[in-house]
Amino acid sequence: MSPARLLPLLALAALGLFLAANLGRPQQATIRSAMVGKPVPAFALPGLGDRPGLASTDLGGGEGPVLVNFFASWCLPCRVEAPQLKALADAGIPIHGIALRDSPEDIRAFLARHGDPFRRIGLDRDGQAAIAFGSSGVPETFLVDGRGVIRLQHQGEIRPEQVAEILREARRWR
Amino acid sequence: MIPSPAELGHLALWLAAATALVMAAAPLHAALAGLARPAAVTHGLLLVAAYAAMTHAFLVSDFSVSLVATNSHTAKPLLYKVTGVWANHEGSMLLWVLILGLAGLAVALVPLPLGPAFRARTLGSLGVVALGFLAFLLFASNPFARLDPAPPEGLGLNPLLQDPGLAFHPPTLYLGYVGLVVAFALAVAALLDGKVGPAWAKATRPWVTLAWAFLTLGIALGSWWAYYELGWGGWWFWDPVENAALMPWLAATALLHSIRVLETRDALRNWTLMLAIAGFALSMLGTFIVRSGLLTSVHAFAVDPTRGLFLLALLVGLTAWALLVWALRAPKVAEGARFAATSREGLLVVNNLLLMALLAIVFIGTLYPLALEAWNGRQISVGPPYFNATTVPLVLLLAVLMGVGPFLAWKRGATKGLGRRLLLPGLLATLAALAMLGLLGVTGVLTLLGFAAAAWLAVASLQLLARRGLTLGRAGTALAHLGVALTILGATASGALQREALVSLRVGEGFEIAGFTVTLEDVAPKAGPNWTALEATLAVQREGAPVATLRPQSRTYTSPPMETTEAGIAMWRAGDLYGVLGKPDGSGRWQIHFWVKPLIHFIWWGALLMAAGGVLALGGALRFAQLGRRRPAARAAPVPLPAE
Amino acid sequence: MAVRVALLALLLAAAAPAPPPVDPALGRTPLADPAAEAQAMRLMHELRCLTCQNQSIADSNAEQAEAMRALVRSRIAAGESPEAVRADLIARYGDWVSFRPPARPDTLALWAVPALALLVGGLVVRRLFR
């Protein structure tokens, strides 16, 4: 038997191994932002009326790193992550919020109910700031360092056990 | 206590597994060989019983069966109770083994001129495959799993699946897949026997033809369903689930042609066997891709990695076994007769080459994002721009050769009068391209070539039909090729001549598109048996005269709660006017997505014609096989074919 | 290192002109200029909706897709080329957002498949006719 006859069998084995190795890991479950490592995109969002909005010029003014949290009052996981955001704010990291496709009244009600860890809140009514950040949903949190460069993207809600890791990252980019 | 039908169905499934074991063991010892046929018949009947029990559970809404509770509802229309059996993972796998069982029953009963040992081996291979799938059903996705206590009401069927087009898509596709399993079993038996030649090809070709025809129909049904149900106006998205069905079809198409060469010229033996194995492996890979949730698809299916692993083990195990037999036995099955490059079989080899290149593109294109992300973590999308750019030139080249091939003689080189014969198709192809360029202002090179290729192939196929001495087989070839021409025409025209508008309108407002005036006359609520909807009324006029009224809906189903869009479609000539109602914008305007799609129906008419051609050719092959049996001498001699 | 990053950031910030304002209504309404609308449509069919399963932003009803449509149409109306808009979105979401795979060393194998398949197949066939 010539060894070439075994080529199909080898190809099958390779395919089988490849597919098996990828089975547990669903493909492209989350689309990561390509903005990590790049400066914050230019944006300027209005505020809630009684408090200032958020613009790219508010980020990276030389002080320590800040978190930018995309949230919405209609988003369930955002409620789940509220205590963790509070913990991060209490640890001394400034957090700014960007509310996605939301109304000031709903946001106020949300903050009254679930707590308000935010320094500034920008209203992203039509989702353009989210696109500028390369964000694909809420909740999502970006770490921006003192020079205004995006250092980290956290997709989905921040779970209690992830708070320490985010604190560590924030200290790293001080 | 009398066991319930569902319990009996479960029992029948276990007994079917036992009979599959007998089928698999029969060829191992001469004393057992006689058991193969009765075992296969019993196996088939047991699966009919199991399937009937499941259908009964759906019909009487027996919610103590978990599958019925999660996928049915008392308020569901009767048709969807029947089709609901296979509109879910477990039930569709049950249908799969039922069809496989019926195929085994057929193999046990039809005349098979290659001897009892060959039949026992074929049934043995089928038994091995059936055993694998029954193990999958019984251990990893038991359709008869019970709920205690039974819930008072079921959860209902995904409304997207409550549709006649989709209801019959899976059985059709499965008939195709199972046909390929039979071809696989015949190939393994032939390898074990060492008897690969025209007689084997003759016995196998009807199965391949049948499988191919059903795959063609199944894919066409799926495409048609996606077109009118998903409401995006597209008919093919190069989605992983679609590609999963396309790959076995490409292999089956290649097999269909290479087995002709084997039958008439006793050549391409190893290659044909390899294609039979590949066709099976690819249909398994398709099932795996669809059921494992490995790739992101628009056609969302229940995802379960454990089941995926089981299916993968089946795919690799069964295929590895066949490839091992091939590696060990194929050298004994010499490649066969030689022939000139410009003979008909020469062109059929080129046809196989192009089909394999298409298969490679679809295969690599589908799996590449997964491989790249595993390799360096980078996420890419491989979508229509890639697949269209790579496959269209090959398909056009294939169409050109398909116009020539049937006019060539077997074995010999250049054929006299070929140029004269191709004059008319060539002329009309040029005319078609020029007309599109001049009259309709179509400029894309590939588009013009698409029109030309469709005209070329259509005229050449019609010429083939018009020739003297028409046999069933040749009529089948001509029809199938004509079908390909029509599909190419429909795909090219609906792409190049399509007009699309995405607008938002107040009631009473309208817009102009491709010579039509479309007016949004009304948006009103409407209620169906298990849904409520907002229905828009779109009046379409052309030159002041009404052409059609479209009623697209935005539906909300009650059980399970789900929102869908129902496109409003009206046929206009051989094309469609296609409207979709979107969301209101909050200021009294409604979003309307509207398309004019000329000639799009040719895509599915072409596929129907392909399948019909396959059935005609099948008739020819069966009649031929019978003639061969009556006159044994005719089988030994090279098959007589009219010199062309 | 830190200084270099800061400089780079400044450079990038200076080099990137402020994007033209996006009109959210353009997520739902076509551009008045049919040629520009056709350009936008062609591009929207090749951009992937982020929150959907394998759907283009032209086909999707999702709000995210609507926002991306508004961006595409606004940019094209402002005179940007479709390829520039595509490149900008790739800069934010990576190559995943475009249905047309990039041409890079690590996608060479993908783009070479047709030629490779024909070449290998051709060699096998040649042996057959020899």
Side-chain angles (χ1 to χ4, degrees):
Chain A
M1 186 179 70
S2 95
R5 294 258 174 237
L6 287 173
L7 275 179
L9 210 53
L10 284 177
L12 175 76
L15 178 70
L17 282 177
F18 166 66
L19 292 176
N22 281 285
L23 248 189
R25 197 177 55 81
Q27 178 213 21
Q28 297 165 349
T30 51
I31 302 316
R32 298 182 294 274
S33 170
M35 295 297 284
V36 176
K38 294 183 196 165
V40 166
F43 70 95
L45 297 172
L48 285 178
D50 54 347
R51 52 199 278 188
L54 183 70
S56 41
T57 45
D58 298 326
L59 305 170
E63 77 242 58
V66 296
L67 293 176
V68 177
N69 176 250
F70 282 85
F71 75 105
S73 63
W74 44 264
C75 142
L76 279 174
C78 296
R79 297 173 195 187
V80 177
E81 94 174 338
Q84 285 74 262
L85 285 183
K86 183 175 181 309
L88 285 164
D90 290 346
I93 303 179
I95 305 179
H96 300 302
I98 296 184
L100 190 68
R101 295 187 194 94
D102 219 334
S103 73
E105 304 80 66
D106 291 344
I107 296 170
R108 276 194 207 99
F110 176 85
L111 297 178
R113 175 117 194 247
H114 302 283
D116 180 0
F118 302 119
R119 298 258 172 114
R120 288 167 169 268
I121 295 177
L123 275 177
D124 187 16
R125 287 184 190 278
D126 34 335
Q128 294 302 327
I131 295 179
F133 270 85
S135 153
S136 45
V138 279
E140 229 171 75
T141 309
F142 291 85
L143 176 71
V144 180
D145 73 9
R147 296 184 192 86
V149 176
I150 298 176
R151 289 303 175 187
L152 184 82
Q153 178 196 26
H154 182 96
Q155 295 181 291
E157 77 274 16
I158 299 172
R159 290 191 291 274
E161 69 272 20
Q162 292 166 329
V163 170
E165 169 67 22
I166 289 177
L167 277 175
R168 225 179 358 262
E169 279 292 318
R171 291 206 185 94
R172 220 181 111 207
W173 295 105
R174 198 171 288 275
Chain B
M1 195 187 109
I2 305 163
S4 72
E7 293 297 333
L8 290 175
H10 195 186
L11 179 67
L13 219 48
W14 277 101
L15 292 176
T19 47
L21 194 63
V22 176
M23 285 165 74
L28 299 179
H29 197 277
L32 294 171
L35 287 176
R37 289 176 80 174
V41 172
T42 321
H43 175 74
L45 295 176
L46 281 167
L47 286 170
V48 171
Y51 192 83
M54 183 52 79
T55 309
H56 175 262
F58 267 84
L59 284 180
V60 303
S61 292
D62 177 0
F63 296 128
S64 75
V65 177
S66 165
L67 193 67
V68 183
T70 40
N71 293 289
S72 196
H73 192 277
T74 44
K76 199 165 68 169
L78 180 69
L79 172 69
Y80 299 121
K81 283 183 180 163
V82 177
T83 65
V85 178
W86 66 71
N88 55 74
H89 167 76
E90 291 85 350
S92 76
M93 294 322 277
L94 183 63
L95 177 69
W96 209 102
V97 294
L98 168 71
I99 296 175
L100 184 61
L102 292 177
L105 197 129
V107 171
L109 297 180
V110 296
L112 201 59
L114 294 159
F118 179 80
R119 192 198 300 270
R121 283 186 169 139
T122 307
L123 289 174
S125 303
L126 283 177
V128 171
V129 177
L131 203 57
F133 274 91
L134 282 167
F136 177 58
L137 266 182
L138 289 167
F139 296 123
S141 38
N142 181 7
F144 290 104
R146 304 299 288 267
L147 285 177
D148 188 25
E153 185 51 280
L155 295 175
L157 172 67
N158 180 342
L160 279 177
L161 305 182
Q162 299 189 24
D163 178 278
L166 195 69
F168 295 100
H169 163 66
T172 320
L173 212 51
Y174 288 179
L175 280 166
Y177 286 164
V178 166
L180 287 181
V181 176
V182 177
F184 167 83
L186 287 161
V188 173
L191 278 166
L192 293 171
D193 258 11
K195 278 192 251 171
V196 183
W200 176 82
K202 201 176 297 166
T204 307
R205 189 152 73 95
W207 290 101
V208 176
T209 314
L210 201 67
W212 178 83
F214 276 115
L215 279 178
T216 308
L217 269 186
I219 294 172
L221 266 176
S223 148
W224 183 55
W225 170 81
Y227 169 74
Y228 76 78
E229 182 69 32
L230 291 183
W232 311 341
W235 57 278
W236 192 263
F237 303 94
W238 293 107
D239 182 83
V241 163
E242 296 170 347
N243 293 349
L246 185 62
M247 287 192 271
W249 183 84
L250 288 167
T253 312
L255 177 58
L256 188 66
H257 290 88
S258 83
I259 209 165
R260 269 292 272 153
V261 176
L262 180 56
E263 184 177 338
T264 20
R265 295 278 302 119
D266 198 8
L268 302 183
R269 290 178 194 151
N270 289 349
W271 174 241
T272 303
L273 291 170
M274 178 53 89
L275 275 179
I277 298 170
F280 165 78
L282 287 166
S283 52
M284 292 280 300
L285 180 71
T287 313
F288 167 76
I289 287 179
V290 170
R291 294 288 159 199
S292 67
L294 186 70
L295 298 164
T296 316
S297 159
V298 294
H299 311 285
F301 285 89
V303 172
D304 185 339
T306 325
R307 287 174 182 169
L309 202 61
F310 207 121
L311 278 174
L312 184 62
L314 267 182
L315 153 71
V316 173
L318 290 171
T319 313
W321 165 57
L323 286 179
L324 193 66
V325 177
W326 184 84
L328 293 173
R329 293 304 195 113
K332 293 184 188 161
V333 188
E335 197 45 78
R338 304 246 155 182
F339 43 83
T342 51
S343 61
R344 187 189 301 187
E345 56 268 48
L347 222 57
L348 285 174
V349 167
V350 180
N351 145 309
N352 266 227
L353 171 64
L354 290 173
L355 284 168
M356 286 305 108
L358 284 169
L359 181 56
I361 292 169
V362 177
F363 181 85
I364 302 283
T366 306
L367 290 176
Y368 205 86
L370 191 67
L372 191 69
E373 203 185 348
W375 178 36
N376 64 7
R378 297 176 87 160
Q379 297 171 316
I380 64 164
S381 297
V382 178
Y386 170 81
F387 287 110
N388 290 340
T390 49
T391 57
V392 169
L394 292 181
V395 170
L396 294 182
L397 187 57
L398 205 51
V400 172
L401 296 180
M402 283 163 69
V404 184
F407 292 114
L408 292 177
W410 293 100
K411 192 174 178 183
R412 290 187 279 120
T415 305
K416 259 198 298 179
L418 184 66
R420 197 164 37 81
R421 254 181 213 132
L422 295 175
L423 197 63
L424 188 63
L427 205 65
L428 287 173
T430 317
L431 269 179
L434 286 178
M436 286 297 148
L437 183 68
L439 300 179
L440 294 172
V442 175
T443 49
V445 175
L446 277 182
T447 310
L448 289 173
L449 286 176
F451 282 115
W456 160 272
L457 182 55
V459 176
S461 307
L462 288 173
Q463 275 184 325
L464 194 62
L465 269 181
R467 287 181 72 195
R468 277 190 300 131
L470 187 69
T471 60
L472 274 181
R474 200 198 295 152
T477 303
L479 275 192
H481 284 191
L482 186 61
V484 175
L486 293 189
T487 298
I488 293 177
L489 173 65
T492 313
S494 67
L497 308 177
Q498 161 182 301
R499 294 293 173 266
E500 177 177 7
L502 185 57
V503 297
S504 45
L505 301 174
R506 288 198 172 82
V507 171
E509 289 179 340
F511 63 98
E512 306 268 327
I513 180 173
F516 295 94
T517 310
V518 185
T519 316
L520 177 64
E521 291 195 327
D522 193 19
V523 179
K526 195 171 173 168
N530 51 356
W531 48 264
T532 55
L534 279 173
E535 185 179 85
T537 306
L538 288 170
V540 187
Q541 291 187 314
R542 193 177 175 81
E543 287 156 3
V547 176
T549 305
L550 307 187
R551 300 186 190 281
Q553 295 177 343
S554 171
R555 271 191 202 172
T556 308
Y557 279 81
T558 43
S559 56
M562 185 167 167
E563 283 181 35
T564 69
T565 55
E566 297 286 310
I569 306 177
M571 206 162 140
W572 189 73
R573 297 186 185 163
D576 274 336
L577 306 167
Y578 189 114
V580 175
L581 174 66
K583 280 180 254 176
D585 74 343
S587 65
R589 271 193 289 251
W590 298 85
Q591 212 172 304
I592 302 287
H593 205 159
F594 193 90
W595 289 266
V596 180
K597 296 179 165 290
L599 304 188
I600 192 157
H601 288 270
F602 276 95
I603 293 170
W604 303 294
W605 293 345
L608 269 181
L609 213 53
M610 281 185 235
V615 172
L616 262 191
L618 176 70
L622 289 179
R623 219 177 55 164
F624 203 62
Q626 271 180 350
L627 285 178
R629 243 197 2 273
R630 242 176 280 146
R631 291 178 311 186
R635 245 192 313 137
V639 177
L641 262 137
E644 288 167 354
Chain C
M1 174 64 199
V3 175
R4 215 184 301 163
V5 169
L7 271 178
L8 188 71
L10 269 177
L11 266 175
L12 282 172
V22 170
D23 177 3
L26 286 180
R28 303 178 293 271
T29 22
L31 294 170
D33 174 10
E37 173 64 13
Q39 270 193 333
M41 263 296 179
R42 227 179 354 258
L43 177 60
M44 292 189 297
H45 276 294
E46 295 194 0
L47 292 175
R48 190 164 176 173
C49 166
L50 292 154
T51 48
C52 329
Q53 303 276 339
N54 205 14
Q55 238 179 326
S56 81
I57 60 167
D59 292 328
S60 170
N61 277 329
E63 283 172 320
Q64 224 277 334
E66 191 179 312
M68 277 170 76
R69 284 199 295 270
L71 179 135
V72 168
R73 284 200 177 110
S74 299
R75 296 280 185 87
I76 284 178
E80 264 186 67
S81 76
E83 284 320 298
V85 180
R86 187 201 301 264
D88 186 53
L89 281 168
I90 288 176
R92 298 183 196 282
Y93 288 108
D95 296 299
W96 189 89
V97 79
S98 168
F99 272 123
R100 182 192 297 165
R104 280 195 319 231
D106 62 354
T107 55
L108 187 68
L110 177 68
W111 287 104
V113 174
L116 224 60
L118 287 177
L119 190 76
V120 172
L123 287 178
V124 174
V125 169
R126 225 178 65 134
R127 256 185 40 193
L128 209 65
F129 289 130
R130 207 176 44 204

